[in-house]
Amino acid sequence: MTQLRVSCFSISLDGFAAGPEQSLENPMGLNGMEIHDWVFPTATFQQRVLGTQGGETGTDDDFVVRGFENVGAWILGRNMFGPVRGPWQNEEWKGWWGDSPPFHTPVFVLTRHARDPIEMAGGTTFYFVTEGIHAALTHAREAANGMDVRLGGGVATLQQYLRGQLVDELHLATTPVLLGAGERLFADIDMRALGYQCVERSATDRATHVVIQRRR
């Protein structure tokens, strides 16, 4: 059965998943990139995202590998695609990820403003969904063809899917960083009441990994 999964989602010790003042220069907000320091050295990130060889193996890398396994489609909030708000003023913008994004699957971007699909190198095609989170999930499940759907963020998008009890599994990497401000993932969300529980945990020098699943 197709599951909706969140993988390798980094948060700070004080619960922020992005810093304040997000912009083109600071897509994760001020100091926000620090919470991802655990993933950058991994062999999978080096190879899949940067296109280089080398990198570290071990527990952190194992979680990155798991995040890409059996994924047939992605869902992203608009801010994960780019910093533009409102109607599309510049359709030359094709996302944060360069000419060959690391998804290699169909990617469904939540937005209020329609836009034609964008086919990228490496098998990624961005589709823009204006009908809301349930429509995006339906499209993604159809495109995944029996594989799982990975929900990439950002924070507001994850919160909508969590409140709707639509996320089957959530992998969080809590990093030893204090952001002080930004976007809190669990603001006004009672995960216990929504039926979620921790089923796995593992700590490394760079992050504490927990896997949370929804009880059925």
Side-chain angles (χ1 to χ4, degrees):
M1 177 181 177
T2 297
Q3 290 196 321
L4 180 62
R5 294 163 34 202
V6 177
S7 299
C8 304
F9 197 84
S10 303
I11 62 173
S12 65
L13 278 176
D14 45 353
F16 295 102
E21 301 181 39
Q22 290 173 303
S23 65
L24 183 60
E25 294 75 23
N26 291 295
M28 293 301 299
L30 296 179
N31 305 314
M33 293 301 288
E34 294 179 13
I35 65 174
H36 301 284
D37 282 347
W38 70 273
V39 73
F40 298 141
T42 64
T44 302
F45 181 87
Q46 296 286 322
Q47 295 163 18
R48 188 174 181 113
V49 179
L50 301 183
T52 60
Q53 299 300 310
E56 299 176 4
T57 58
T59 298
D60 290 332
D61 186 60
D62 290 343
F63 275 101
V64 181
V65 171
R66 285 169 55 174
F68 287 108
E69 288 177 343
N70 196 45
V71 173
W74 285 65
I75 296 173
L76 300 179
R78 179 166 173 175
N79 196 49
M80 290 291 291
F81 176 77
V84 184
R85 298 293 186 272
W88 300 100
Q89 301 294 332
N90 177 13
E91 296 206 1
E92 294 301 313
W93 175 265
K94 297 181 180 180
W96 297 112
W97 311 97
D99 294 331
S100 183
F103 308 107
H104 309 303
T105 69
V107 178
F108 296 87
V109 180
L110 290 158
T111 177
R112 292 186 176 89
H113 301 276
R115 182 173 175 176
D116 291 335
I118 304 173
E119 187 172 347
M120 306 291 286
T124 298
T125 300
F126 292 109
Y127 298 92
F128 299 90
V129 181
T130 59
E131 301 90 354
I133 64 170
H134 292 88
L137 183 55
T138 296
H139 293 315
R141 281 175 169 159
E142 290 173 353
N145 194 29
M147 300 174 73
D148 290 340
V149 176
R150 181 166 167 178
L151 179 60
V155 173
T157 298
L158 261 65
Q159 288 174 337
Q160 290 182 70
Y161 279 98
L162 286 170
R163 289 190 178 104
Q165 297 176 287
L166 297 170
V167 177
D168 296 292
E169 182 176 284
L170 172 67
H171 161 228
L172 297 177
T174 302
T175 56
V177 172
L178 295 169
L179 290 183
E183 298 183 52
R184 290 187 187 274
L185 176 60
F186 294 126
D188 301 318
I189 294 181
D190 186 339
M191 291 290 284
R192 188 183 186 100
L194 290 171
Y196 290 94
Q197 62 182 350
C198 181
V199 297
E200 182 181 351
R201 62 188 181 276
S202 181
T204 70
D205 290 341
R206 293 191 175 98
T208 298
H209 300 276
V210 297
V211 178
I212 300 168
Q213 292 179 350
R214 183 170 63 86
R215 295 189 298 271
R216 295 187 178 278

